[in-house]
């Protein structure tokens, strides 16, 4: 007799199991730990790394000069580096011999003239509404602070001694850093191919050609930036010197040198040199100080709108906003002296980001 009971339904098919959760492999753990170690080392050894980067910049400039000599007279690269170095040292010594006394004298006059200039600025400020009241408040605060300091001076003598010793230590540290910078730059310039080959060997074999291309492009960009920056500084110094001489502003030579040197730091440097020139011109009258402010404004407009675009046709073009952020970040992290290296470091970051991440990782070819 047939069993009329319903057969039990077949068991439901088990859902296909998804991929097992990925666990961190030993290689990934080691890679993450290595990256963290490198970041920590970069933070604690930041001073040494910045000196090394500055030495690389100087070495690139020396190699560029040596290559020029090689093309012109067929001179060996290593010998060319020494010739360029000796030529630079001789030029600096000649400039110090010819213009050094005048620059040193004007610098001393600048230091001694600053109190009088600042007094003229205060006098002009006091003529403004509420200006005199604000100056009195500041002077009252300074007087109270001097009385407190006089009362506490005896107890702070050990701190003052420590401050003096710290200043002496900083001077010796600076001289040591300069010596290390010079030695590093010479060795890197003379053995650049050795260090370049060592860096390329750290890259997997299939990518070594690409790594060599990126390194060569980076060296070219840094060399072009240094050449363009040197030309820009020279033209700004000449324009400032001529303008200050026409306005009959005292210490025009040293003020022009300051304008050229500080122009290596975009935006902040020109503002600083212009402010110093205005303060020095203040004893000559408010009108002269006003003309000096206009002069430096016109120079910076010309430099930003005419000169730099012409230079950047052959050099490196940088976004102004990123340049400001790089300068502020370098100054906050590593101190005021490091802002000189902010722009070349930004060039390195932008170039590596474009070539390695945008082009190689994302596959978006930019040129």
């Amino acid at each position: 007799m047939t069993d009329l009971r319903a057969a039990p339904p077949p068991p439901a098919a088990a859902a296909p199991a998804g991929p097992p959760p990925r666990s961190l492999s030993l290689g990934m753990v080691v890679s993450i730990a290595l990256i963290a170690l490198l970041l920590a080392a970069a933070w604690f050894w930041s001073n040494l790394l910045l000196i090394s980067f500055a030495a690389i910049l100087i070495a690139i400039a020396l190699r560029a000069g040596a290559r020029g000599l090689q093309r012109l007279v067929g001179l060996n690269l290593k010998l060319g580096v020494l010739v360029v170095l000796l030529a630079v040292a001789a030029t600096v010594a000649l400039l110090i011999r010819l213009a050094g006394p005048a620059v040193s004298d004007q610098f001393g006059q600048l230091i001694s003239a600053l109190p009088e200039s600042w007094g003229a600025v205060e006098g002009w400020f006091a003529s403004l509404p509420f200006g005199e009241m604000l100056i009195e408040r500041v002077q009252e605060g300074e007087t109270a602070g001097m009385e407190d300091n006089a009362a506490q001076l005896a107890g702070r003598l050990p701190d003052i001694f420590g401050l003096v010793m710290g200043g002496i230590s900083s001077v010796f540290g600076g001289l040591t850093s300069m010596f290390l910078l010079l030695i590093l730059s010479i060795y890197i310039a003379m053995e650049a191919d050795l260090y370049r080959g060592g860096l390329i060997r750290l890259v997997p074999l299939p990518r070594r050609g690409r790594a060599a291309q990126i390194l060569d492009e980076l060296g070219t960009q840094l060399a072009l930036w240094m050449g363009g920056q040197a030309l820009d500084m020279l033209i700004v110094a000449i324009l400032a010197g001529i303008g200050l001489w026409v306005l009959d502003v005292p210490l025009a030579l040293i003020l022009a040198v300051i304008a050229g040197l500080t122009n290596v730091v975009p935006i902040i440097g020109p503002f600083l040199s212009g402010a110093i020139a205005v303060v020095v011109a203040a004893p000559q009258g408010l009108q002269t100080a006003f003309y000096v402010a206009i002069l430096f404004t016109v120079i910076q407009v010309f430099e930003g709108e005419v000169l730099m675009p012409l230079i950047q046709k052959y050099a490196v073009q940088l976004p102004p906003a990123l340049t400001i952020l790089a300068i502020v970040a370098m100054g906050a992290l590593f101190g005021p002296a490091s802002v000189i290296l902010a722009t070349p470091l930004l060039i390195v970051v932008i170039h590596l980001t474009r070539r390695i991440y945008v082009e190689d990782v994302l596959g978006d070819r930019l040129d």
Side-chain angles (χ1 to χ4, degrees):
M1 186 175 180
T2 305
D3 189 358
L4 299 177
R5 289 178 299 177
R22 298 179 62 182
S23 58
L24 290 177
S25 64
L26 178 61
M28 293 178 65
V29 172
V30 171
S31 298
I32 294 173
L34 182 60
I35 292 173
L37 182 63
L38 289 175
L39 290 176
W43 176 259
F44 287 110
W45 296 337
S46 58
N47 187 42
L48 179 60
L49 292 177
L50 291 175
I51 291 175
S52 301
F53 182 67
I56 291 173
L57 293 177
I58 297 175
I60 290 174
L62 293 175
R63 293 278 293 189
R67 286 198 187 94
L69 289 176
Q70 187 179 47
R71 288 193 297 267
L72 290 175
V73 297
L75 197 62
N76 178 271
L77 270 179
K78 291 185 179 181
L79 185 58
V81 168
L82 293 178
V83 170
V84 171
L85 187 63
L86 291 175
V88 171
T91 303
V92 171
L94 181 62
L95 289 175
I96 291 175
R97 182 176 179 81
L98 295 178
V103 172
S104 176
D105 181 61
Q106 289 206 5
F107 185 77
Q109 293 179 36
L110 173 63
I111 298 300
S112 60
L114 283 178
E116 180 186 356
S117 301
W118 185 249
V121 173
E122 283 188 342
W124 170 76
F125 187 72
S127 64
L128 299 176
F130 305 105
E132 187 174 355
M133 182 182 66
L134 291 175
I135 292 177
E136 290 177 356
R137 292 285 180 87
V138 172
Q139 289 176 346
E140 289 174 0
E142 290 178 352
T143 303
M146 290 175 63
E147 293 174 355
D148 293 341
N149 290 337
Q152 299 175 2
L153 182 59
R156 295 179 59 187
L157 286 178
D159 296 335
I160 296 174
F161 178 76
L163 183 62
V164 172
M165 294 304 296
I168 296 174
S169 176
S170 298
V171 171
F172 279 105
L175 293 176
T176 303
S177 298
M178 292 298 294
F179 179 74
L180 177 61
L181 175 63
L182 178 62
I183 296 299
L184 275 177
S185 60
I186 293 174
Y187 276 115
I188 294 173
M190 298 187 69
E191 300 290 346
D193 293 334
L194 175 65
Y195 302 118
R196 175 181 176 275
L199 282 175
I200 293 174
R201 286 183 178 275
L202 298 176
V203 179
L205 280 171
R207 308 297 299 171
R208 288 184 181 177
R210 176 66 168 168
Q213 176 193 356
I214 293 174
L215 280 179
D216 292 341
E217 290 176 350
L218 193 53
T220 301
Q221 287 204 356
L222 290 173
L224 290 174
W225 173 80
M226 285 187 287
Q229 191 64 50
L231 179 61
D232 181 70
M233 292 165 62
L234 177 62
I235 294 176
V236 167
I238 293 173
L239 292 176
I242 294 174
L244 292 170
W245 176 74
V246 170
L247 293 174
D248 198 24
V249 175
L251 311 176
L253 177 60
I254 187 63
L255 292 175
V257 172
I258 292 173
L261 292 178
T262 56
N263 209 62
V264 71
V265 182
I267 299 161
I268 298 176
F271 175 80
L272 177 63
S273 61
I276 293 174
V278 169
V279 170
V280 171
Q284 309 297 314
L286 180 60
Q287 186 177 13
T288 302
F290 180 69
Y291 286 154
V292 170
I294 292 178
L295 169 67
F296 274 78
T297 302
V298 170
I299 290 175
Q300 289 310 309
V301 170
F302 169 77
E303 189 253 358
E305 300 298 328
V306 179
L307 182 59
M308 282 309 295
L310 288 175
I311 293 175
Q312 287 174 348
K313 286 184 179 180
Y314 308 96
V316 182
Q317 187 171 6
L318 293 174
L322 290 183
T323 303
I324 296 173
L325 290 176
I327 292 172
V328 173
M330 288 292 292
L333 289 174
F334 307 115
S338 65
V339 299
I340 299 175
L341 300 177
T343 304
L345 276 173
L346 180 62
I347 292 173
V348 173
V349 171
I350 289 177
H351 186 72
L352 294 181
T353 303
R354 284 176 175 174
R355 292 294 186 244
I356 296 176
Y357 180 70
V358 176
E359 294 186 357
D360 293 350
V361 176
L362 301 181
D364 183 10
R365 293 290 171 180
L366 298 175
D367 50 24

